[in-house]
Amino acid sequence: MRQGEYRSIRMMRRKWEVFPGHNQFCCNGRCMLSHETGVFKLTFVLIVVTGALFFIFDAPYLWEHVHPVLPIMGALLFAWTIAFLFRTACMDPGILPHSAIQESEFYEKAHFEQNQTGSSYVPPARTRDVVVNGKAMKLKYCFTCKVFRPPRTSHCSMCNTCVQNFDHHCPWVGNCVGKRNYRYFFLFLFTLSLLCVYIFASVICHLVLEGKEEDNSFGDALQANPASILEAVVSFFSIWSVVGLTGYHCQLVATGQTTNEDIKGSYSRKRDPDNFNPFSSDSWCGNCFYVICSPIPPSLVDKRGFVSYQYEVDYGIESHRDQYGSVVATQQPVSGTLDRVETVY
């Protein structure tokens, strides 16, 4: 490959640089996060600081006076929690790509000709009827992404994208929770709950044992270990929220629902006794197995692909070429009469 051709390929824009959503990328498009990451950073700092205080001030005492296995268990829980946190935050949650300009214009033109009466304009139909496992469902049209959303897909106003199996947008992990990262979000909650309970119980054990030593009392142990008191306070209040949230998601996993569906009452039988969840298996064990063990589908977003000329044309991206022939592209709003229609989430 000649030097000029290599330089041209190296300086071409990748698709993550012109991504139409509100997400931000790092590591050259390998990691995808929400544009608001302040709460995510707070989550990371709280876990790291609390864990560091524990391993500095409490773990050595437990290693020497109780058993070495206790600090080792804490280190494993801490490592798993951090790993699942970053796995949830930095991966594509299941984003549904926007449609190309020609696709949206063809659909709009077809429905315009079908529904036109005289000189009045009738907007295209916003739903389509489908049957999923014997249950009739409606596919809603997203006027932002210009696609019919598959079942369980919803538009996230924070990320400005449609997410498959949308559960919710979680600021604590800095990302949407959907089809591709719900497993890691659930495992993050589960390991974080165990870590909070473990740190709280270990700190209390440390203080009680040190208070029972000769010429010492529980009050003396508290005065000698202010960091342990801080750990106990943080972990105690975290238990009430994190463990409760984990229990709620255990119930969702067992019933085969998402948070979005549960809040909306999509499969509630209060109004319709015959209503049922077509995505649930016959047992809670099958639902749990599906969430924990089923293969993760590939991402539909080609974040690291190069922006070709045809891609610019299909998605309305303006570009100009520099002196080396590489593309410098910027994402522009997709034109079309659908922009006049109010966006519905």
Side-chain angles (χ1 to χ4, degrees), residues 250-282:
C250 287
Q251 182 262 333
L252 292 179
V253 169
T255 57
Q257 296 186 86
T258 65
T259 302
N260 189 44
E261 292 169 343
D262 183 60
I263 292 175
K264 292 181 177 179
S266 302
Y267 311 121
S268 176
R269 296 186 179 183
K270 293 181 179 179
R271 296 182 179 180
D272 184 6
D274 297 328
N275 194 12
F276 67 97
N277 183 1
F279 303 102
S280 176
S281 64
D282 296 334

Side-chain angles (χ1 to χ4, degrees), residues 40-95:
F40 164 68
K41 295 175 182 177
L42 175 63
T43 304
F44 176 72
V45 169
L46 283 175
I47 296 175
V48 170
V49 170
T50 306
L53 291 175
F54 171 78
F55 290 115
I56 293 174
F57 296 101
D58 296 286
Y61 183 90
L62 296 175
W63 181 287
E64 182 178 355
H65 295 84
V66 182
H67 200 282
V69 74
L70 289 180
I72 294 176
M73 289 175 55
L76 291 175
L77 283 175
F78 179 80
W80 287 337
T81 301
I82 295 297
F84 290 138
L85 171 63
F86 276 92
R87 184 62 171 167
T88 305
C90 297
M91 72 181 299
D92 171 18
I95 292 177

Side-chain angles (χ1 to χ4, degrees), residues 118-130:
S119 59
S120 62
Y121 173 76
V122 180
R126 298 189 181 186
T127 60
R128 282 183 178 177
D129 296 325
V130 296

